[in-house]
Amino acid sequence: MAHATMEETAEPVSAERMRRVLGTFCTGVVVVTAMDGDEPVGMACQSFSSLSLDPPLVCFCPGSASTTWPRVRAAGRFAVNVLAADQGEVCRAMAGRDKFAGVSWTPGPGGSPLLDGALAWIEADIDQELPGGDHTIVVGRVRDLAAGRAERPLLFFRGGFGHALQD
């Protein structure tokens, strides 16, 4: 397969082009949750990653326009809930206005909401925030974590949900 040279692809790197090309990279889907006083808050996120084993760090990248991120920041800690293939509706709920309507959860050891049915959860304290263009790079120091049921993960690919192929 021949690859175009930079001179042949001098088209500007637009947001639409970024979405189209980077949409070919399949990502897992998580929900980042926290408590804002007595109220649970959450946001769907596909920009999550393990960062370091020593010290134990994870990161995620909320958009600058997020109205949930400031509430998570104020909590100082968060949980990452790794969604299962059958939790597309949970993800859609977290992308909407009434995020926790019909979504069952329990408080984690650090108090952050852990979503019922998630494949795994990670609780972390906010360690660092770094600028990342139109996003913030949030580094969390892991305080506790566990894996739940052994199912396929919910994946995001080319603008939609999918799941891993069977073994």
Side-chain angles (χ1 to χ4, degrees):
M1 168 187 238
H3 295 283
T5 66
M6 288 297 289
E7 292 79 27
E8 294 169 334
T9 61
E11 175 185 347
V13 180
S14 65
E16 184 280 326
R17 186 170 169 211
M18 284 280 289
R19 277 189 200 93
R20 180 172 34 86
V21 172
L22 295 178
T24 64
F25 179 67
C26 182
T27 62
V29 181
V30 302
V31 171
V32 175
T33 59
M35 292 300 294
D36 183 7
D38 293 335
E39 184 181 357
V41 296
M43 60 184 168
C45 180
Q46 68 185 62
S47 60
F48 166 76
S49 181
S50 170
L51 183 61
S52 170
L53 294 175
D54 185 18
L57 302 173
V58 295
C59 65
F60 72 98
C61 303
S64 301
S66 171
T67 57
T68 303
W69 164 236
R71 299 176 75 187
V72 173
R73 178 195 290 128
R77 71 172 32 138
F78 60 90
V80 175
N81 297 268
V82 180
L83 298 185
D86 62 359
Q87 290 185 299
E89 286 306 312
V90 172
C91 182
R92 284 184 195 87
M94 291 296 160
R97 288 185 170 260
D98 196 7
K99 298 175 183 277
F100 281 85
V103 176
S104 300
W105 62 277
T106 56
S112 298
L114 305 182
L115 304 181
D116 293 352
L119 297 182
W121 57 265
I122 301 102
E123 269 194 313
D125 293 334
I126 296 172
D127 190 67
Q128 293 181 47
E129 289 181 52
L130 305 164
D134 60 0
H135 283 66
T136 299
I137 302 164
V138 179
V139 177
R141 185 172 293 267
V142 176
R143 298 299 180 196
D144 204 351
L145 69 167
R149 56 190 180 126
E151 298 291 330
R152 292 179 293 173
L154 182 63
L155 301 177
F156 194 75
F157 178 71
R158 290 192 172 157
F161 294 129
H163 54 77
L165 299 174
Q166 296 202 27
D167 295 332

